[in-house]
Amino acid sequence: MIEARRLHILRAVADHRTVTAAAAALYLTPSAVSQQLAALEQETGHRLVERSARGARLTPAGEILLHHANAVLAQLERAESELAAYGSGEAGTVTVAAFATGIGLVVAPAIGELARTSPGIRVRVRDAEGDASLLMVLDRQVDVAVAVEYRGAPAEDDARLTRLPLYAEPFDAVLPLGHRLADGERVALADLAKDPWIGQSAGNPCHDVTVLACEYAGFEPRLDHTSDDFRAVVALAAADAGVALVPRSALRGTDLAGVVVRPVDGVAPTRRVFAAVRRGSEDHPLIAPVLAALRAAAEPRG
């Protein structure tokens, strides 16, 4: 008999690609993860994981089992949801991981709405970038992720997750006051090909948006400066350190005295934001109201 707990560990190893990273995400020791994987291999009669200096990857047998593990774990989430509904499930805590702007735009308003409509639900918030929050959901560290589309993000039909679109917003060009293009109504990205750029660190979904937008415009941006704090990005632009692309909502409440903000000419780069939960948990009586409140908070921006 295969234990569901070991299937969860197998999926974590597949997601994190090393035993050490999977153990950290699951709050286990690497030796405990290795022991559970060995027991799972004994239960199935197949070698499931291959390890090397570059990490761990699933064998073909491991990939087959992972496909079934996703279905089994989703069904267990549904079972928990139905049992919680049977027991009313009107009170409890839901943990939401979201990036800073998303917290301000949709998570905080959703908490306010839930306080009025579902006072028994307590929401705990954890600040996390979109690429990190999805793994936190899969590792059961949080219940809901508010995340951003990025290169390599799980697809909409990913068997592990259920996704709910929230909103999309354009990126605007942020230029120093004395920039040669500051007087124009719009900015063509191709005209910034030779400028120094201020961007986000690799792995941040906004980094991918900036790089891809510039690639579509025919050049690779020279990222001289990086910061994941958009206030710092704007401050650097104001100091004439370079140009940047910033999500429109992230500019609200930011000191723009030293910069000009212009929409991008043509099809603007866009940040697409969605909520994600473990597949099967979307109907949980605690999680479903949170998703509904997030969607309602996002509607004016959708």
Side-chain angles (χ1 to χ4, degrees), residues 24-272:
L26 298 174
Y27 300 103
L28 298 172
T29 64
S31 62
V33 169
S34 296
Q35 290 170 8
Q36 292 300 317
L37 288 174
L40 186 58
E41 290 179 330
Q42 186 173 8
E43 288 172 345
T44 61
H46 293 279
R47 187 179 181 187
L48 303 174
V49 178
E50 290 182 349
R51 304 187 200 188
S52 68
R54 291 179 292 181
R57 67 180 184 87
L58 300 192
T59 65
E63 293 288 353
I64 291 172
L65 183 57
L66 178 64
H67 172 75
H68 291 285
N70 289 331
V72 168
L73 294 174
Q75 191 59 41
L76 286 174
E77 292 283 354
R78 294 187 188 98
E80 289 182 8
S81 298
E82 291 187 19
L83 287 170
Y86 177 77
S88 80
E90 295 178 354
T93 299
V94 176
T95 305
V96 178
F99 56 98
T101 311
I103 292 172
L105 283 182
V106 294
V107 178
I111 291 174
E113 177 64 19
L114 288 165
R116 292 186 292 272
T117 61
S118 303
I121 297 177
R122 176 173 177 259
V123 178
R124 296 174 57 200
V125 179
R126 294 182 61 178
D127 191 320
E129 292 298 335
D131 55 329
S133 62
L134 295 175
L135 283 176
M136 292 167 71
V137 166
L138 291 171
D139 292 334
R140 301 182 71 90
Q141 296 177 20
V142 301
D143 303 300
V144 181
V146 175
V148 179
E149 285 286 4
Y150 62 94
R151 184 161 35 188
E156 292 186 15
D157 61 353
D158 190 292
R160 302 167 299 170
L161 296 167
T162 295
R163 293 176 26 158
L164 174 70
L166 293 178
Y167 65 92
E169 63 172 328
F171 281 63
D172 289 325
V174 178
L175 313 175
L177 276 180
H179 194 274
R180 65 188 183 281
L181 301 178
D183 293 334
E185 293 184 0
R186 307 180 73 84
V187 173
L189 289 183
D191 292 338
L192 301 174
K194 295 183 179 180
D195 284 81
W197 278 75
I198 309 157
Q200 287 67 56
S201 56
N204 185 314
C206 291
H207 170 88
D208 284 349
V209 173
T210 295
V211 171
L212 287 172
C214 293
E215 287 178 357
Y216 290 147
F219 69 97
E220 181 178 348
R222 191 180 85 230
L223 292 172
D224 284 0
H225 312 280
T226 58
S227 175
D228 293 331
D229 186 330
F230 289 115
R231 292 169 299 180
V233 170
V234 172
L236 286 169
D240 203 17
V243 300
L245 289 174
V246 176
R248 188 165 292 171
S249 65
L251 294 170
R252 297 172 189 164
T254 300
D255 183 4
L256 303 176
V259 300
V260 294
V261 178
R262 297 289 182 263
V264 174
D265 193 34
V267 179
T270 301
R271 174 159 75 170
R272 303 187 185 281

